[in-house]
Structures are given as C-alpha cells and as structure tokens.
C-alpha cells in the first residue's frame, strides 16, 4: 500500500533534517521510494536464471535485500555498469536483460515497512522527473519502456491504464515524464518532494560557523542546546537556495542536513569543443532547438549540409531527424568506427533499429567511400578546428589534412556535464582525478562501490550519471546501496545507544 499522500513545503520546514537529496529525476525518485520504507524481498517462488546468485539469495530468503551483504551478492556478476551493486540490482529486477530476455520476470517483491522510513527532502528545479520534463518535445529520443520504469510500478501497466501506445515496448520522453509524475503520486512520495527549488550553496556548516553573519545560521545556533552545537557545525551540511514562487519571486531557504545526496544528473551544461567560432549564431548545442527549426521548415530546400558533431545517441537523433527530412548531413566524430566503447555496440539491434541504422551509415558512408546515402557523409576520427563567420567550418583528419565545408547549421552534441556550482570548486575534489571537472565518463565522482558514499566526503553520497550510471536501469542500484548504508548506520547507532543506556542503568 502506498504511503498517505502529503505535500512538502518550504514555508516552515524542519531546520535540521536527516537527509536532503539534490535532484528529483529518476535517481532521486527511486531513492525516495526506498527511503520511504519500500523494501525488496526475494519472491517466494522466484528462480533466478543465474544459479550461483540464486543460491546466495536462498541463504537469506527471509531477509530483505537491503539487510544482506551486497558485496557478497554482487561478486562475480557482469553487466554494463562499472558499479557492482548497480549490476546486482539490475539483474534482480531484469534477469538476463542483456541477453535479450527482456520479458523474464523480476525475482523481487516489494513490501512497505513504514518502520524503516528515513525522513528526507528531495529538491528539484522543476516537477519530478528532472530532465525528462525538458525532453517532452523531442521527436526521436525513444527508450525501452521497461528499462525506464522504477520499482513497484511496471511501465507496461501504467501505459495500459493511461491508454498510451506501448507498441514494441517503446516509450517517448513525454510518456516517461508522465510516468514519473504518476509514480510520485501513486507511491505516496509527494510529501518528500519540493519542486521549483534551486540549490545555490552546499558545504559543511562548520566551515563558516565562526565567521558567518547569516542571521538564520545564528538563530539556529542559538536554538540548539549547548552540548549539541558542536555536532551541528562539525557534522551537518548547510544547504542554501531559493524556491521560485508562482509569481516568479525568489523565496530563499536554508536547511541543515546530516546527509546530502547528489542526484543532479548530467544535463545541466552542454559539453563544448572549445574551438574558435563556437559561439557564432549558427552553432548550437541543443537538439531540441534543431528539431523545432526543422518543424518550422527552416531547412526546407537547403543545399548546404548541417554539420553534426558527436557519436552518441543525441547526435544519432539529430542525424535521424535531418535524414528523415532530407537535409544533407556532415557527421564528424573523434572515435574510430569500430571503437568498442561506441554506444551503438551496447544496444541490442532488435530493440534499437534506428540507432543501428545510423551506425550502419557511419560505417558505410564515410568520407571517400562510394555513396550509399547521398545526403549523409561521416568523418570518423576527425575534429573541428574552427567555425568561421562566413558559415564555413574547418575539419582536420588524423593525418593533419584540413578540409573546409560550407554549412547551413552546426550542431555540437558531444554530451553534457553536471553543474555542481553549489559545491566548493564545483566539486572538482570529489572526482577520480582531483582538480579536474566532474564528467560522467572521464571523471565521475569517486564513491565507495557498495555504499555510494563519496570517498573524500563523509555523509555525502552520489548516484546516477554522476557516478557513471547513465542508464536508468542501473541508477537504481545506487538507491539500494545508499538505503542499506543508512539503515546499517542507524542500526549500529541504536545498538550503541542501547548499550550505553544499559551500562548507565547498571
């Protein structure tokens, strides 16, 4: 049964809360679900296709998964995530999914155990769903519905009840965004979510406790018992920001939290080439902007090609959009055609035929080969040297040969970076490579792989794309790991308190 629905507000929140989650996308939603007391157990009649994992699960069938040793359960498992708990949880939810058995049932059942509820607030800049709300207008970014779903509510069931077209088990971004909004409501999680909230500052409170002139900080300090003030400043995080009201005004807030979770995703800041001319008007870093221009007929009858830079799914969507509207394309990317890390090699061909169509074009219609797609030419292992004001771009081959092309538009779609501006030095110290910007592939946040606690900051956790889990099916493992870690700490604290009480009574 879902929790009773309540609505959280920041008008008069608790000034110190156990946890604040920054980001209300799928990562934050899934974590809120598990922190609210929903716990996964092995189904009574479950039989996992992996016999070794099944044997391990049988050893503690009476325990929920968060009560078990995640390192032990995940040992030896392989999958498309570098985080072992992400692979474990994915194989429990979608057994053998990577082998094409997408209809194999989950071996988990979910029970609501309210005694395990951990109070928390989830702060998001828009409605729940995060970046999926911004992608609703996208025409081509399609996803496998079952892999976008969150625990406890099958996407197929939601689609059927809402009369969505679930043909081929595919979903549009608009469907996914609507599903997440419905999920929040149906699971009784709305009381944990505060929309339209912008976090601007996060730091350990003690760093500025002595010199702060902030009246709110002083008032909170004065309200704490004397013997607890040091704990506030030595352990708690201070979170500042503002909430945008209906009339557009900014309402500032300040919270203290024992634990902070970073679940901001990676869509905040488009990655740039950092070449001359990248800020010229005809150069864009937005697929939705290009799609809107195409819909308005701005490229109808054009003879100069559109330059698309990148070899990921967003760049592939742009290629498909242009190709379907008969717009000529020059497709530039740095990687080799048969680079095993290309995303196309990680997607089942039968589930993503449109992306494999693009990959086929990339391989068969590269510069210098016979023309199979006269409106498309790929330039593997090339880079853009400069964009000129006369609508010409300069490309460079691996051998150093330069080529100049007249274009009608340039789309730089090489990924995006998380924007952690609210952390000291934008969180650079948290990555695997200190003092370098956090990126989801090259320099993700360094975490303990079994708790998702940030290695360099106690009581700070991260999950989702920030730790390299870019697929929604894998970010759920982070929610499991964090929930287990917090529950173990609470259990140990309670045992210590009980022991101290018994010693005092003796």
């Amino acid at each position: 049964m879902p929790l009773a629905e309540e609505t959280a507000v920041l008008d008069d929140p608790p000034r110190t809360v156990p946890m604040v989650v920054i980001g209300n996308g799928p990562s934050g939603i899934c974590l809120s679900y598990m922190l609210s007391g929903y716990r996964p157990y092995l189904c009574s009649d479950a039989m996992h296709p992996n016999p070794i994992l099944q044997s391990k699960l049988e050893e503690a069938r009476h325990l929920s998964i968060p009560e078990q040793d995640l390192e032990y359960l995940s040992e030896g498992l392989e999958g498309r995530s570098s985080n072992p708990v992400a692979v474990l949880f994915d194989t429990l939810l979608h057994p053998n999914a990577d082998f094409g058995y997408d209809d194999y049932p989950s071996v988990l059942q979910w029970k609501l155990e309210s005694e395990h509820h951990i109070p928390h607030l989830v702060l998001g800049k828009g409605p729940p769903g995060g970046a999926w709300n911004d992608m609703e207008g996208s025409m081509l970014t399609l996803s496998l519905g079952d892999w976008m779903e969150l625990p406890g509510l099958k996407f197929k069931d939601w689609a059927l009840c809402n009369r969505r077209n679930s043909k081929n088990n595919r979903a549009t971004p608009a469907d996914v965004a609507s599903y997440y909004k419905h999920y929040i409501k149906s699971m009784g999680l709305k009381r944990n979510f505060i929309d339209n909230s912008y976090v601007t500052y996060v730091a350990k409170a003690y760093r500025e406790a002595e010199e702060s002139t902030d009246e709110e900080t002083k008032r909170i300090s004065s309200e704490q018992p004397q013997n607890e003030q040091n704990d506030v400043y030595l352990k708690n995080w201070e979170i500042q920001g503002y909430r945008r009201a209906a009339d557009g005004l900014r309402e500032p807030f300040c919270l203290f939290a024992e634990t902070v979770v970073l679940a901001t995703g990676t869509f905040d800041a488009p990655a740039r080439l950092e070449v001359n001319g990248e800020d010229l008007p005809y150069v864009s870093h937005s697929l939705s902007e290009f799609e809107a221009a195409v819909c308005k007929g701005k490229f109808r009858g054009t003879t100069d090609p559109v330059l698309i830079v990148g070899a990921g799914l967003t760049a592939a969507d742009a290629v498909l959009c242009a190709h379907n509207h008969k717009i000529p394309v020059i497709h530039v990317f740095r990687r080799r055609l048969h680079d095993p890390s290309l995303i196309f090699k990680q997607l089942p061909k039968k589930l993503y035929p449109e992306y494999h169509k693009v990959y086929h074009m990339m391989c068969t219609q590269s510069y210098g080969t016979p023309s199979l797609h006269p409106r498309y030419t790929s330039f593997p292992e090339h880079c853009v040297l400069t964009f000129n004001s006369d609508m010409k771009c300069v490309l460079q081959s691996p051998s150093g040969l330069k080529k100049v092309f007249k274009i009608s538009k340039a789309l730089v779609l090489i990924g995006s970076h998380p924007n952690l501006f609210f952390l000291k030095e934008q969180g650079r110290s948290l990555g695997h490579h200190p003092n370098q910007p956090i990126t989801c592939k090259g320099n993700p946040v360094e975490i303990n792989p079994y708790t998702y606690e940030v290695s360099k900051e106690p009581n700070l956790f991260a999950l989702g794309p920030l730790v390299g889990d870019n697929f929604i099916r894998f970010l759920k493992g982070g929610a499991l790991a964090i929930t287990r870690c917090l529950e173990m700490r609470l259990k140990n604290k309670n045992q210590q308190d009980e022991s101290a009480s018994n010693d005092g009574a003796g």
Side-chain angles (χ1 to χ4, degrees), residues 88-133:
L88 166 66
F89 206 32
D90 179 66
T91 196
L92 294 175
L93 291 168
H94 303 287
N96 280 358
D98 286 337
F99 298 100
Y101 301 106
D102 50 286
D103 289 330
Y104 202 103
S106 169
V107 299
L108 299 179
Q109 59 180 334
W110 292 85
K111 298 179 181 179
L112 176 58
E113 298 176 350
S114 300
E115 65 272 19
H116 293 289
H117 173 258
I118 298 176
H120 60 281
L121 294 177
V122 183
L123 309 181
K125 293 184 289 187
W132 286 94
N133 294 291

Side-chain angles (χ1 to χ4, degrees), residues 438-499:
I438 298 296
T439 60
C440 300
K441 292 184 179 179
N443 190 32
V445 174
E446 185 178 5
I447 57 170
N448 178 311
Y450 301 103
T451 66
Y452 281 62
E453 185 171 29
V454 176
S455 299
K456 301 179 180 70
E457 279 287 3
N459 296 321
L460 180 66
F461 294 78
L463 76 164
L466 289 175
V467 300
D469 286 332
N470 296 300
F471 289 106
I472 290 176
R473 53 183 285 211
F474 292 119
L475 63 80
K476 293 171 262 192
L480 171 64
I482 294 172
T483 300
R484 181 187 186 278
C485 177
L486 296 177
E487 289 188 353
M488 291 298 101
R489 289 183 180 179
L490 284 173
K491 182 178 179 180
N492 291 337
K493 183 179 183 299
N494 291 337
Q495 289 176 345
Q496 291 173 3
D497 292 344
E498 183 177 348
S499 176

Side-chain angles (χ1 to χ4, degrees), residues 21-330:
V21 181
I22 303 174
N24 64 355
S27 297
I29 296 173
C30 187
L31 180 57
S32 180
Y33 175 78
M34 298 192 70
L35 293 176
S36 296
Y38 289 95
R39 296 164 72 80
Y41 286 83
L42 184 67
C43 291
S44 58
D45 57 347
M47 184 61 65
H48 198 280
N50 183 322
I52 297 177
L53 179 57
Q54 176 67 25
S55 176
K56 292 179 180 179
L57 293 169
E58 290 286 357
E59 294 173 9
R61 176 180 282 274
H62 62 290
L63 296 178
S64 68
I65 301 300
E67 295 175 277
Q68 300 184 41
D69 186 341
L70 300 184
E71 183 173 1
Y72 172 63
L73 291 178
S74 59
E75 183 180 12
L77 298 178
E78 296 182 356
R80 293 173 182 167
S81 170
S82 59
N83 295 312
V85 178
V87 176
L88 166 66
F89 206 32
D90 179 66
T91 196
L92 294 175
L93 291 168
H94 303 287
N96 280 358
D98 286 337
F99 298 100
Y101 301 106
D102 50 286
D103 289 330
Y104 202 103
S106 169
V107 299
L108 299 179
Q109 59 180 334
W110 292 85
K111 298 179 181 179
L112 176 58
E113 298 176 350
S114 300
E115 65 272 19
H116 293 289
H117 173 258
I118 298 176
H120 60 281
L121 294 177
V122 183
L123 309 181
K125 293 184 289 187
W132 286 94
N133 294 291
D134 299 327
M135 291 189 285
E136 287 193 28
S138 176
M139 298 179 295
L140 297 166
T141 304
L142 305 177
S143 305
L144 183 63
D146 286 355
W147 289 1
M148 313 308 293
E149 70 187 20
L150 297 179
L153 178 61
K154 287 186 173 296
F155 187 88
K156 286 181 179 178
D157 295 342
W158 172 85
L160 185 63
C161 291
N162 289 272
R163 300 180 180 179
R164 292 297 205 276
N165 181 10
S166 59
K167 183 180 179 180
N168 297 325
N169 200 25
R170 302 299 295 272
T172 67
D175 285 343
V176 175
S178 296
Y179 164 80
Y180 290 146
K181 293 173 186 174
H182 177 80
Y183 185 92
I184 293 288
K185 184 176 181 180
S186 64
M187 297 299 172
L189 306 180
K190 194 171 182 180
R191 63 174 182 169
N192 304 322
F193 284 74
I194 304 176
D195 306 340
N196 304 314
S197 299
Y198 296 75
V199 174
T200 59
Y201 173 85
V202 175
K204 282 289 179 65
Y206 72 85
R207 289 175 179 163
E208 298 190 26
E210 295 180 356
E211 60 193 71
S212 175
T213 58
D214 182 72
E215 292 301 318
E216 176 68 2
T217 302
K218 290 180 178 179
R219 187 183 69 77
I220 293 173
S221 176
S222 66
E223 291 178 356
Q224 295 289 334
Q226 190 64 34
N227 62 350
E228 292 183 8
Q229 287 190 28
N230 288 337
D231 285 345
V232 171
Y233 289 120
L234 291 175
K235 295 181 180 179
N236 284 7
W237 293 89
E238 181 179 357
I239 303 100
Q240 296 182 13
Y242 64 89
R243 192 181 189 198
R244 193 178 294 280
D247 56 7
L249 294 177
R250 295 184 177 186
E251 302 172 348
F253 64 81
C254 179
L255 294 170
F256 289 91
E258 300 167 15
T259 302
V260 168
V261 179
L262 303 176
T264 57
T266 182
F267 293 97
D268 287 324
R272 295 173 59 88
L273 295 171
E274 303 297 344
V275 300
N276 290 335
E278 193 169 2
D279 291 321
L280 289 169
Y282 70 89
V283 182
S284 172
H285 300 79
S286 169
L287 172 61
S288 58
E289 177 186 303
F290 175 64
E291 290 177 338
V294 170
C295 289
K296 293 178 181 177
K298 291 187 177 181
F299 295 94
R300 189 172 295 125
T302 183
T303 56
D304 293 329
V306 170
L307 174 73
I308 298 174
V309 185
L313 296 185
T314 306
D317 285 333
V319 170
L320 287 168
C321 180
H323 187 70
N324 292 338
H325 288 83
K326 297 180 171 53
I327 301 170
V329 170
I330 291 176

